[in-house]
Amino acid sequence: MSTATEPVRILPQSPANSGSDSGEGQLLEVSMGPQHPSTHGVFRMDVVLDGERVVRLKPVFGYLHRNHEKIAEHETYLGSMPYTDRLDYICSLTNNWAYALAVEKLAGIQVPERAEYIRIITAEMTRFLNHAALIGFLTQDMGASGTPLMYAFRERETILDLFESLTGARMMCNYMRFGGCRVDLPAGWLDQAKKFAATLPRFLEEFERLLATNEILMARTQGVGVLSKEFAVNAGVTGPVLRASGVNYDVRKVDKYGIYDRFAFKVPLGEHGDTYDRYMIRLLEMRESLKILNQALRDIPEGPIVDPKTKIRGFKPKPGEAYGRIEAPKGELGFYLISDGTANPYRYRVRSSCMMNLTVLEDLCIGHNVADVVVILGSIDIVMGEVDR
Amino acid sequence: MTMSPIQQADQFFVTSQHRFVSYLPAEFQSLTSAILSVIAIVLVFALLFAITTVLERKGLGRIQNRYGPNRVGPAGFFQPLADGVKSLTKEDLVPRTADQMVHFLAPVLLVTAAFLAYAVLPVGRNMVLVNLNAGILYFFAVGSLVELAVFMAGWSSRNKYSLLGGMRAIAQMISYEVPLVLASVVVIMAAGSLSTVSIVDMQASYTGIWPHWFVFTPWGFAGFILFMIAATAESNRSPFDLPEGESEIIAGYYIEYSGFKFALFFLGEYLGMFATSGLAITLFLGGWAAPFSFLTWIPSYLWFFAKLLLLIVIFIWIRGTLPRLRMDQLMSFAWQFMLPMTLFNLFVAGVWHFMPSGIVRWLVCIALLVAPAILLSRSLKQGKKFAVRHYRFAE
Amino acid sequence: MTVTFLILAALTLAGTVAAMAMRNLIHCVLALTLGFAGLAALYLLLGAQFVGFTQILVYVGAVAILAVFVIMMTQSAIPAMQSIFSSFWVAGSVVAAAVFAVLAWAICRSGFASQVLPPVEAAVHPIGDALMHGYVLPLEIMGLLLTAAMIGAVVLAMHEKRRTP
Amino acid sequence: MFGEGILKGLAETARNFLGSYVSKKRLTTVQYPEQRLPQIEAYRNFPFLVYDGDDWQQGLRCVSCFICEKECPPKCIIIEKSTDKKPDAVGKLQFYPKVFNIDVSVCMSCQICVEVCPFDAIKMDTDFELSSTDRFSGLLWDKKHLAKSNEHYHKIHPTEAAAVDAQLAAERAKIAAKTKATAEAKPATPTPPANANGAGPNAANQPVPTATEK
Amino acid sequence: MTPENIKSEVEASIPGCQLEIVSNPSPSGQHSLRIDPAHAVAIATFLRDAEPLRLDYCSNVTGVDWPGKEISEKVKVKKLVDGVEQEVEEIRKTQTIGHLEVVYHLFSMEKKHGPVILRMRTEDRAERVHLPSLTPVWRSAEFQEREIFDLYGVIFDGHPDLRRILMWDGFEDHPMRRDYVEPDDFEYEPTAHDEVLERARQHRTVMGPL
Amino acid sequence: MDENLKSELRKQGIVATTLQELYNWGRKNSLWPLNFGLACCAIEMIAASMARYDMARFGAEVFRPSPRQADLMIVAGTVTKKMAPQVVRLYNQMAEPKYVISMGACAISGGPFKQGYNVLKGIDRYIPVDVYIPGCPPRPEALIDALMALQKIIDKQSLTGADRPRHLQADAPSEFVVPEFGAHDLEPSQNPEVWQPPLVNISLGGTDDAGKH
Amino acid sequence: MTNVPYLPVVVLLLAAVAFAVGPLALAWVWAWKFSPRKPGPSKNAIYECGLESKGDAWVQFHPGYYLYAIIFLVFDVEAVFLLPFAVAFTGLPLGAGIAMLVFLLLLVEGLVWAWQKKVLVWS
Amino acid sequence: MSPLTGYLLLSALIFSVGLAGALTRRSAILVLIGIELMLNAANLNFIAFWRYGPNPQALTGIMFAIFSIGIAAAEAAVGLGIILAAYRHSKTTELDQMNSMKG
């Protein structure tokens, strides 16, 4: 890593809709989104095209700015928990965990062991379903008529059934509590989960056969949207996108939050940092998640699921602040809380991995084809709920 | 003239038409016969369109572990009817700044051009609307009108996405038209005729039980594959459906069309697909001829439609599986692989003709085809090594 | 002089006149394709099937597309505000009218007999035979010409592209 | 390598296509209105108010303590307290809600009201076929709409309801013991039987439906 | 790396800069450093590049609004009351100047440590809200600083593209400030509650007969 | 279709009746949704079209990305003030007949986020909504249920007469005011043509002292 | 005259046009009778992902398309010469085949030139 | 009037229309199209003379027409290429403006 890692910024000189001097065709200013089949929600890209090549791209968001942070300042600490579900609405359980972790740091709460295991089981299932859905959406963006997405959602429904019988909701689980989890595993849940985990390798193989060596997919993704190591670090990119660029940084390994140090798993790293790497890293991470899941399902002890000292009502942490972060499926998800000693946080801040990963979007897209833009965006994996909050 | 029952079944439509026409005064006979045939063509292929849309939706559903439409009418087969009624009664929107006249003409031209191609398709023994001397040329000439229609749609909407889609569509269609034509030239070389009827007739004989289809020669097989690839691209089917690439340019050139005009685009596209598939069948798969000599008792038109359905199923299957190519890959594939390959195939067909028959001819021709295919596909990937990668893991 | 001929002639003329007189260049090209198609139909009427379809394939399928592309690439699709005719349009029309007058005069004067012909069809096979026997040299020259035209046109079109990478 | 991956993918989709005719795993569709998935016991959608016995007004467990109203994150509960009291589930004299509205067009099914309720009066229902053509009359539920019997609760969440019943029975027993003790200590003032007492004030105070009922 | 170490190291390498350790009483124990805006970029560059630290990864950038508070304290004042000097208890109100604060959470991907927390303050909440942008040091600050500009109104000097990010361009307020008042778009909401109820009462005329 | 309506229609003549039945049948069985999701509910909307729930069975899987070709707008998720003009414009650009399903708490009323400064308190402030689905997010089954409810509504609509649906009436508007971004709020903040505050008696109005805080 | 073989084609042309225009006319009648068309400024504006369209779509396009069109045109014409050759091929001597090969090679040479000039690379 | 005269007159008319267009239109593209029309008029003549000529079996007219079409296509490609190149230079396809912006 060189010392002079100045941020890279490529800004084209010629303004839009005026003929460039070379007569090479006028630049066409197109806005992709907010209603667009492949912007993953209400995201907009103001794209300037030269032919079909992108010369400028401005991400515009805020179309889903739901004022989560402001609302949280008026809510109790517990009252914000269901709102975190709605941040990255594909993986609500990891959001729950990140928030619970931050509050636990703020108030110094210990989590019982069984709850930690449950957290890890649900988090890895979430990671699995997020990555599967992402690959589905990515191939959808490549024009694959939804078949991989359907297969991913087929597995997702099974995971959601598990979530539903554990937490009572399919998506908005609102499950974690400060110092543990809300309810214990229902009878038979573990067996069901084990049975499900046993079917996953087959699904992964099917998924890989369907796509991983597909020539069209390789042609569409290899060498597209290359993100260099240095730039990725400087731009604060996290999660699979960062690791696809070859940076070994996984908060599960670095912070060893929860009880991740007890599990044997590896962090797959990419070489090229292109879209194919981002795609493959996710496939490989799904395998690693499966490993963790199997270990956790095997080792989970009996015991309480919540710290008996925690109160549901009247929770008022001492003044102070805390920043807690986890490795969410999309990257580092952090919560920064400032308490002034009252029942409501004074400042509640979500460090959104999706939004930070978007920082590099323009740099990745410039010079590529329009068709690549949606693929690159898809490989960055954003969820507008978390980008805009 | 006496016919066996098998022949009667085969020629049922032809003879009944003749019989009907013969009751009319002589000056109306040719006109009436033409009208009857045309009505049959229009109705049959429109019906096939309707059935195909349901089949496609249901087939994709099955590929994706679900049922697909199954509630409207028996097993969902009235779904296209409902869609049709809906489209017919839907408001027709034309953007204010659009070119109204061209906007209206585009779908009409598209459907017209697609229908016109059926004039030379022999759908059964003696069942062709008109046996033109230059039938294949007619087919391609009419097919080239589609490009114009697509451009008219994309341009007249005055929408950025539609224009982008329209330009993409033309670039793609013109790029694949040349391979399409050249791939069929090998058959013409062998058959010595541009007439579709005589091309099928040439294939409708058997050695033992095996048919003389052109697909069963090295150049015919290569030609068939190349033709089908080009046909997929010509009819904008996945993985070459860039002009309407939903994920990139929303709906492509027909983005601003609503109501029945939009349905006409769908119709035109499917008709084009049937027509090129029909031509592929005519050229390579023996047209209406039965695949084995002992199956000739099945009426010829059934064979034609069976082959057509088979090709449609393959189209649907491919659509359910593959992601879309990118524009530049599509273009370089057309010019750097398809075109040279079709030219090579021409050469091979020539060699085949001038060599004495035997196993040597087969080997030489196969070698002459495989070698350039490997070379070209390698040069296509030059600079960009697409490969299955291996990843390192950090502890 | 059959009705078919008259209809086709009217269609062709309407197409060509519209192509020369319309304001929007895209409309011009579309009208032109109509004219080309009419001409193709006339060829068919004359029994030149091969030429007729070639006319459609080349003119409607390729030349019109080429023209449309150039219009799109030179931003001429939006009708100009000023007159579409050049300043010396009067002179031009007069010349054209004069040419027509001379030609018509010559045609009418030559007074071809109204003969009844046996139906003749220029089948493709004889064309092929002729092409490969009597017209081999023109064919090769044609190939040369096409190659030269392609290279020339490509050089012209991509001229600047190489200068600005 | 050219074409191999494509063929693999085609084989995979073909397998799924053919499999959909033979295997349940490859045809996962549940044809919803006719077929339904087995109800998952933990599923929650919107809250309802539990009542014991047959009379919903009588047996409503809610004592209008305002805790759920205060804790509800999106603030979709409106409670108005009665002026008189009636005995609650465990037999204590308590206030009851004169108005208890939940705006399900705001509710986010987070279950926090259930968690914070000390009286086991509010629970989560599982009904989801709630589409309505009117936002105001269809989706603002009043007390009458919300009240559902304990049997219903047992039907949808059997395990949970049994636990709640056991806990309530224990409390009831404790209170009964206490009452007995006080009654023994002060036999002069007998506590009226729990059930008879509720009827009086309740009948006098018929709650006014606030919104047009569904 | 304790905050004290960092403070001394930074002060040693960048002359004239002032760092202040802000201690965090909560169990998390994440203490922070308050840096002066004038040297912020230099300090940030040092933190990013200096060998033992190598804080190459700026994870989180946050704004916090600290509005001016009215502090009332009871003071005994000697006063002439009815001509007699008496010691009277008086409530004296002092208005503190509010400020906006920006917090940076830094980590090192290379050395895998962190967080190091930097804080910067504006001088007040109205006019002097300029702070130097750290986007040239860490690109990851780009969107977050834009967000702080959007929601808090801190103006980052040196930011390459300081526009509103979450709200639309014509929007004038800074909604995350604690004194932000929402536009009154109330007509009727079925859940009349707290302040909504209050507004319902104010809008009684609009609502028609209650 | 209920019997009253049918007998009413018989009076109008059998042609009109069959025409109307055909029209309604066609419309209800070919509800193509606009490919458009806003937030969390969109995932459940996607899930509803996926294998487990398969909205395709009703012929409603043809998600059209262009509003010109769509019949049904499923407003799935929070409509923010920044997004509202776009939603209204998309609705305007749909061809008649068009229907709106407001899916989930946020789309109906702002839901849990209604206290937010950037959240629109219900999409029905700007465009007419046919069916509301409460829930956060509603299950995919609930969406299918709403789709069937919409089909029932369509089935009951008459082709002629004063009670014919809005899109058949010449004077009923087909597009609505697109709100503009103001300095503090959207302008206008609601469209009175579509949305009037309903006159519902809040019993709280008079009982200020009833144990409120 | 030899127009008789084209009569079915003409009938097909008319039928095809009728097939396209007929439903459109029917739709028009429906709209006129029952469902009034309601154009509006926002409704009939250009669709652009829900935003107001900025700038005109009719802009100057990239000349990359033109290069393909030229090559296409040339090969189209080549196909026109190839077809009669192909029809007559079976009866032709080897010399004619070689002549055609020369003709094709001339064009292929142009193609190779274009290939090497990277004309065939889509920008 | 004999059929041949009809074809010849039509051809003359098309030729004149093309000539008129080429001479009067300002747009270079249309000028080129006018020239194409003139070529087409000539083709019509070839075909008509072939059909009504003394020896229709000789195919000379047909061969001429085919080669003419090929040449016209080549001409169109080069011509339009020139227009494109000129447009780069002077930013217009109007002929008189191209003149006035020489250099």
Side-chain angles (χ1 to χ4, degrees), chain G residues 7-123:
Chain G
L7 180 69
V9 180
V10 173
V11 174
L12 182 61
L13 174 75
L14 294 178
V17 171
F19 192 84
V21 176
L24 290 182
L26 204 63
W28 185 83
V29 169
W30 176 272
W32 164 71
K33 194 89 186 79
F34 294 109
S35 169
R37 277 180 193 165
K38 296 172 185 170
S42 159
K43 193 176 193 173
N44 289 45
I46 297 287
Y47 160 81
E48 196 175 325
C49 292
L51 293 170
E52 279 176 85
S53 190
K54 274 182 293 182
D56 201 335
W58 289 350
V59 298
Q60 182 198 335
F61 257 78
H62 205 268
Y65 294 95
Y66 185 65
L67 303 177
Y68 288 104
I70 292 167
I71 305 171
F72 160 68
L73 178 76
V74 166
F75 276 90
D76 217 24
V77 174
E78 172 245 47
V80 165
F81 286 100
L82 204 57
L83 284 174
F85 159 79
V87 169
F89 175 70
T90 38
L92 288 175
L94 190 60
I98 290 169
M100 192 33 100
L101 203 61
V102 171
F103 174 73
L104 284 183
L105 282 178
L106 274 171
L107 289 175
V108 168
E109 186 209 312
L111 183 72
V112 169
W113 174 85
W115 194 332
Q116 281 178 344
K117 286 283 172 198
K118 305 234 182 292
V119 175
L120 301 182
V121 177
W122 181 261
S123 55

Side-chain angles (χ1 to χ4, degrees), chain H residues 10-68:
Chain H
L10 178 64
S11 151
L13 255 176
I14 293 172
F15 186 86
S16 317
V17 168
L19 183 65
L23 288 180
T24 57
R25 286 300 293 248
R26 286 157 50 112
S27 166
I29 297 167
L30 274 185
V31 172
L32 200 73
I33 285 174
I35 295 168
E36 290 289 324
L37 271 182
M38 286 147 73
L39 279 169
N40 266 282
N43 274 359
L44 185 59
N45 264 0
F46 283 132
I47 303 285
F49 275 120
W50 160 77
R51 182 69 184 74
Y52 292 98
N55 186 11
Q57 264 67 41
L59 293 180
T60 321
I62 299 275
M63 300 313 286
F64 253 91
I66 294 175
F67 282 109
S68 158

Side-chain angles (χ1 to χ4, degrees), chain C residues 1 5 9 12-13 16-17 19-23 25 28-29 32 36 39 42-43 45-48 50-51 54-55 58-59 63 66-67 70-71 73-76 82-89 92-93 95-96 99-100 103-104 107-108 112-115 117-120 122 126-127 130-131 135 138-139 142 145-146 149 153 156-160, chain H residues 1-27 29-31 33-34 36-37 39-41 43-44 47-53 56-85 87-89 93-94 96-97:
Chain C
M1 294 306 269
F5 169 75
T12 314
L13 261 183
T16 45
V17 171
M20 290 291 101
M22 283 178 105
R23 216 179 166 78
L25 285 190
C28 289
V29 174
L32 183 73
F36 285 153
L39 272 172
L42 283 171
Y43 295 163
L45 202 60
L46 284 168
F50 185 80
V51 183
T54 304
Q55 170 87 2
V58 173
Y59 276 106
V63 173
L66 212 65
V70 170
I71 293 170
M73 259 138 242
T74 54
Q75 217 187 351
S76 326
Q82 72 273 52
S83 164
I84 52 168
F85 293 109
S86 68
S87 44
F88 40 87
W89 65 273
S93 331
V95 169
V99 167
F100 176 68
L103 284 175
I107 292 164
C108 291
F112 299 101
S114 165
Q115 73 252 66
L117 293 167
V120 171
I127 296 179
L131 194 67
Y135 293 88
L139 179 71
M142 194 71 222
L145 176 75
L146 283 175
L156 278 170
M158 67 181 292
H159 181 61
E160 303 273 332
Chain H
M1 200 160 55
S2 75
L4 181 58
T5 319
Y7 281 104
L8 294 185
L9 274 179
L10 178 64
S11 151
L13 255 176
I14 293 172
F15 186 86
S16 317
V17 168
L19 183 65
L23 288 180
T24 57
R25 286 300 293 248
R26 286 157 50 112
S27 166
I29 297 167
L30 274 185
V31 172
I33 285 174
E36 290 289 324
L37 271 182
L39 279 169
N40 266 282
N43 274 359
L44 185 59
I47 303 285
F49 275 120
W50 160 77
R51 182 69 184 74
Y52 292 98
Q57 264 67 41
L59 293 180
T60 321
I62 299 275
M63 300 313 286
F64 253 91
I66 294 175
F67 282 109
S68 158
I69 287 175
I71 290 169
E75 179 242 303
V78 177
L80 289 170
I82 290 174
I83 292 173
L84 205 57
Y87 175 80
R88 283 222 182 82
H89 207 255
T93 54
E94 313 273 292
D96 32 8
Q97 281 179 43

Side-chain angles (χ1 to χ4, degrees), chain B residues 30-31 34-35 38 41-42 46 87-99 104 107-108 111-112 115-119 129-130 132 137-138 140 147 155-161 163-164 167-168 171 173-175 177-178 181-182 185 188-190 192-194 250 255-256 260-261 264 267 327-328 331-332 335-337 339-340 343 346-347 349-350 353-354 376 379, chain G residues 4-24 26-28 30-31 35-49 52-59 61-62 65 67-73 75-76 78-80 82-95 97 101 104 108 111 115 119-123:
Chain B
S30 59
L31 184 66
I35 287 172
V38 163
I41 285 180
V42 168
S87 305
L88 208 59
T89 54
K90 195 124 173 94
E91 191 185 8
D92 180 24
L93 275 179
V94 183
R96 202 174 44 251
T97 47
D99 195 312
F104 168 77
V108 176
V111 170
T112 310
F115 263 128
L116 275 182
Y118 292 106
L129 186 62
V130 47
L132 286 181
L137 187 62
Y138 165 85
F140 291 129
E147 291 150 29
W155 175 79
S156 67
S157 300
R158 212 167 180 166
N159 180 307
K160 289 166 197 167
Y161 289 104
L163 196 59
L164 218 53
M167 294 302 264
R168 268 184 177 194
M173 283 175 158
I174 60 173
S175 301
E177 194 171 318
V178 177
V181 176
L182 293 184
V185 166
I188 299 164
M189 279 164 76
S193 170
L194 279 176
I250 303 177
I255 193 166
E256 292 283 7
F260 209 79
K261 285 186 193 160
L264 285 182
L267 176 68
M327 196 64 197
D328 55 335
M331 297 302 269
S332 49
W335 294 106
Q336 301 179 16
F337 183 83
L339 183 58
L343 287 170
L346 279 185
F347 177 67
H353 175 74
F354 287 110
L376 285 171
S379 84
Chain G
V4 181
Y6 305 112
L7 180 69
V9 180
V10 173
V11 174
L12 182 61
L13 174 75
L14 294 178
V17 171
F19 192 84
V21 176
L24 290 182
L26 204 63
W28 185 83
W30 176 272
S35 169
R37 277 180 193 165
K38 296 172 185 170
S42 159
K43 193 176 193 173
N44 289 45
I46 297 287
Y47 160 81
E48 196 175 325
C49 292
E52 279 176 85
S53 190
K54 274 182 293 182
D56 201 335
W58 289 350
V59 298
F61 257 78
H62 205 268
Y65 294 95
L67 303 177
Y68 288 104
I70 292 167
I71 305 171
F72 160 68
L73 178 76
F75 276 90
D76 217 24
E78 172 245 47
V80 165
L82 204 57
L83 284 174
F85 159 79
V87 169
F89 175 70
T90 38
L92 288 175
L94 190 60
L101 203 61
L104 284 183
V108 168
L111 183 72
W115 194 332
V119 175
L120 301 182
V121 177
W122 181 261
S123 55

Side-chain angles (χ1 to χ4, degrees), chain F residues 27 99 200:
Chain F
R27 280 192 300 156
Y99 324 96
V200 178

